[in-house]
Amino acid sequence: MGKIIFKYRGQIPALVLILAIPFLLYTKEILINQTRLNFEYYSIILIFLGCFMRFYTIGFSYIETSGRNRNNHIAKKLNTTSMYSVSRNPLYFGNVLIWIGIILRTNNLFFLLLCVIIITVMYYYIIKSEETFLENKFDHQYLVWKRKTPAFVPNFLLYKKSKNKFNYKSILRREYSCVLAIFLTILYLDIIKLFLLQEIIMVNQFLLISTIFIIFISITLKYLRKNTTILDD
């Protein structure tokens, strides 16, 4: 089960976004209008913290680890410092913060609960599969790290500085698609929320301009990654 979910983990968010339509349509009466503004503030904070967690983790990770590979787990070295000293799964923790932040913008408790359930099940099986892989590959080294490091929620008191130099190029190569997905998802949810609940198509101008800008940056970075050596280590 874990290997299957790991392989198709990129498609699961698309399923969540499809489910957003019926949930926002048929559960609109539970919207908590008086807390909408607060939810949007919390949303921004969680998304920012999630992105920071991802960027900081990737910036200090070894090459050919923490990757976006689909078919097989890849880890030439075991990351045990920086964010990996406070959590065994800092990238997934960052993802959860981002997803909860995005879903909070819908102000819909049923949809939030659905997403929490899906995310919990998904990462439970993915982490279980990855831990089996890491234990088989790194054996005692992994078990020592596993005993002293929390599985998911970080304990920053355990932080251990990495000997690696912060690699901003790795972030530029790998994370533009993540940032683009965040903006496109927020834009999508805002559009369907307004259309389903108010029967109007209206887009926040700042959000639209920001998304267009991120699209341009993403296309540029993708071109540089594939056709030049500027982003190479």
Side-chain angles (χ1 to χ4, degrees):
M1 178 67 75
K3 290 183 179 180
I4 296 175
I5 295 178
F6 176 83
K7 182 176 181 179
Y8 295 103
R9 68 193 187 280
Q11 284 68 48
I12 294 176
L15 172 63
V16 172
L17 295 181
I18 294 173
L19 291 174
I21 296 176
F23 263 82
L24 294 180
L25 178 62
Y26 294 111
T27 62
K28 59 185 179 182
E29 69 275 4
I30 67 163
L31 288 177
I32 310 173
N33 293 315
Q34 65 268 26
T35 62
R36 182 180 300 279
L37 188 59
N38 288 337
F39 272 16
E40 289 186 357
Y41 286 147
Y42 298 147
S43 168
I44 293 172
I45 292 172
L46 287 174
I47 292 171
F48 176 82
L49 290 176
C51 287
F52 174 81
M53 194 80 180
R54 286 191 58 86
F55 295 168
Y56 197 91
T57 300
I58 290 173
F60 284 112
S61 295
Y62 290 115
I63 298 174
E64 296 193 44
T65 61
S66 305
R68 294 182 180 275
N69 48 296
R70 287 183 55 189
N71 296 322
N72 298 297
H73 300 299
I74 295 177
K76 289 195 171 183
K77 291 184 178 180
L78 183 64
N79 289 301
T80 59
T81 58
S82 187
M83 285 299 179
Y84 284 99
S85 65
V86 301
S87 169
R88 300 201 302 272
N89 297 278
L91 288 177
Y92 294 153
F93 181 77
N95 289 347
V96 169
L97 292 181
I98 291 170
W99 265 108
I100 292 178
I102 290 174
I103 301 306
L104 275 179
R105 292 184 62 86
T106 67
N107 219 39
N108 188 306
L109 293 180
F110 282 165
F111 188 48
L112 176 61
L113 290 174
L114 170 70
C115 292
V116 169
I117 292 172
I118 292 175
I119 290 171
T120 301
V121 172
M122 179 179 75
Y123 282 127
Y124 171 79
Y125 283 106
I126 289 177
I127 290 172
K128 190 175 180 180
S129 174
E130 289 185 344
E131 291 195 333
T132 299
F133 165 77
L134 292 173
E135 184 174 346
N136 290 335
K137 181 162 186 176
F138 296 104
D139 195 20
H140 181 68
Q141 181 188 6
Y142 171 77
L143 293 175
V144 171
W145 172 63
K146 180 180 180 180
R147 280 196 295 268
K148 64 183 180 182
T149 310
F152 198 72
V153 179
N155 179 358
F156 291 101
L157 296 176
L158 300 175
Y159 183 81
K160 184 178 179 181
K161 186 177 180 181
S162 173
K163 294 180 180 179
N164 299 335
K165 184 179 179 181
F166 188 77
N167 189 346
Y168 71 92
K169 289 185 177 181
S170 180
I171 297 173
L172 293 176
R173 281 198 312 270
R174 298 166 56 181
E175 288 300 284
Y176 66 83
S177 59
C178 174
V179 175
L180 177 59
I182 291 171
F183 275 85
L184 290 176
T185 303
I186 291 173
L187 185 64
Y188 165 81
L189 289 176
D190 278 14
I191 290 174
I192 66 168
K193 180 175 64 176
L194 287 172
F195 180 74
L196 292 176
L197 302 185
Q198 301 179 24
E199 297 184 350
I200 59 173
I201 296 180
M202 183 181 297
V203 181
N204 181 290
Q205 188 173 9
F206 175 76
L207 177 59
L208 179 61
I209 294 174
S210 299
T211 303
I212 294 172
F213 175 73
I214 294 298
I215 291 173
F216 172 76
I217 294 297
S218 297
I219 293 173
T220 302
L221 290 173
K222 185 174 182 178
Y223 175 83
L224 293 176
R225 179 174 63 84
K226 289 192 172 184
N227 298 284
T228 73
T229 59
I230 294 176
L231 297 180
D232 291 351
D233 295 320

